[in-house]
């Protein structure tokens, strides 16, 4: 069986794969994640995922499957990771009481065969309407750091969410069902 390389430093993505007892290694990509907030959100997510996978695949010289993902939040424009607490406050306040999309781009590369697959998954998320006290309380947890949309559904951020339509693991950062389907269809392998 081919070696699986997860091109991500995300503990959330690692935890999702570990849940299925997948034997994999982690390699962190060195790409500079530049986001144009006016671009098509699906293209942004898929492009960033592909850049990560390609960066890793060029650095290894053994039989492996490289998996990369990039998750963005979209509501009228791409919403990136907050720069600081004030930025997190603005993002969360703008999402309060509204729906937004969580889009994860997925890229899979077979290093030896050179086969490359790029796709995405989408989940709709509806935030509760909340007041500044709740926003500040959430920000004080520090959980917003390094999170697209300034929240983590798998943590305290769950309290901010009214409902989701789509896959939970996508909002966490790795749509496991989509990944498994892509691996089965294009690489004749499975996660579970």
């Amino acid at each position: 069986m081919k070696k699986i390389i997860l091109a991500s430093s995300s503990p959330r993505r690692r935890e999702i794969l570990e849940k299925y007892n997948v034997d994999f290694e982690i390699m962190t990509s060195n790409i500079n994640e530049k986001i144009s907030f006016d671009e098509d959100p699906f293209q942004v997510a898929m492009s960033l995922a592909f850049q990560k996978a390609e960066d890793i695949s060029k650095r290894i010289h053994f039989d492996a499957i490289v998996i990369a993902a990039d998750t963005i939040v979209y509501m009228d424009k791409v919403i990136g990771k907050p720069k600081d607490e004030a930025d997190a406050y603005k993002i969360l306040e703008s999402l309060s009481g509204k729906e937004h999309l969580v889009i994860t781009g997925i890229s899979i590369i077979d290093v030896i065969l050179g086969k490359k697959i790029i796709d995405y998954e989408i989940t709709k998320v509806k935030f509760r309407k909340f007041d500044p006290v709740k926003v500040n309380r959430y920000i004080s947890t520090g959980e917003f750091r390094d999170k697209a949309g300034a929240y983590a559904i798998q943590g305290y951020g769950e309290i901010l969410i009214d409902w989701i339509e789509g896959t939970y693991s996508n909002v966490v950062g790795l749509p496991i069902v989509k990944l498994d389907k892509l691996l089965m269809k294009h690489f004749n392998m499975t996660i579970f």
Side-chain angles (χ1 to χ4, degrees):
M1 187 161 155
K2 294 178 183 284
K3 187 89 178 148
I4 295 177
I5 307 293
L6 178 62
S8 177
S9 59
S10 164
R12 294 149 313 271
R13 291 187 182 114
R14 184 191 71 235
E15 288 166 6
I16 290 171
L17 275 184
E18 285 174 343
K19 177 179 173 181
Y20 293 95
N21 296 317
V22 175
D23 183 23
F24 67 97
E25 286 182 22
I26 292 175
M27 291 183 71
T28 305
S29 171
N30 296 324
I31 71 157
N32 185 4
E33 290 187 37
K34 290 185 180 175
I35 296 177
S36 173
F37 295 98
D38 299 327
E39 282 185 67
D40 176 87
F42 302 97
Q43 293 300 318
V44 170
M46 290 188 295
S47 174
L48 289 171
F50 178 71
Q51 289 174 55
K52 290 175 183 179
E54 189 174 52
D55 175 49
I56 298 301
S57 69
K58 287 180 177 176
R59 289 194 267 148
I60 59 177
H61 306 287
F62 52 86
D63 200 9
I65 297 286
V66 177
I67 298 168
D70 197 86
T71 302
I72 63 167
V73 169
Y74 180 81
M75 187 180 72
D76 302 323
K77 65 176 184 174
V78 174
I79 300 171
K81 298 173 183 176
K83 297 176 203 74
D84 53 29
E85 290 183 4
D87 194 30
Y89 185 90
K90 278 194 280 188
I91 291 170
L92 292 170
E93 186 180 51
S94 74
L95 296 174
S96 176
K98 298 177 186 157
E99 294 176 16
H100 62 273
L101 302 179
V102 176
I103 304 162
T104 301
I106 304 170
S107 182
I108 308 168
I109 298 177
D110 184 311
V111 175
I112 298 300
L113 298 179
K115 188 172 189 176
K116 301 171 183 178
I117 300 298
I118 305 165
D119 208 333
Y120 68 88
E121 185 64 84
I122 183 169
T123 302
K124 190 183 288 186
V125 178
K126 168 77 166 36
F127 263 28
R128 296 169 50 190
K129 182 79 176 150
F130 40 79
D131 61 26
V133 172
K134 193 170 290 284
V135 175
N136 284 321
R137 189 173 299 143
Y138 179 69
I139 288 171
S140 73
T141 69
E143 189 176 80
F144 70 90
R145 286 177 177 51
D146 199 38
K147 305 286 190 306
Y151 73 94
I153 192 172
Q154 72 278 10
Y156 299 114
E158 181 179 17
I159 198 78
L160 306 174
I161 296 168
D162 209 4
W163 52 260
I164 72 168
E165 184 179 295
T167 65
Y168 172 82
S169 65
N170 184 50
V171 184
V172 177
L174 187 65
I176 198 70
V177 172
K178 180 72 158 218
L179 176 61
D180 193 50
K181 286 178 180 178
L182 292 172
L183 286 169
M184 287 171 54
K185 180 178 180 180
H186 300 285
F187 300 94
N188 197 29
M189 59 189 306
T190 183
I191 298 277
F192 186 66

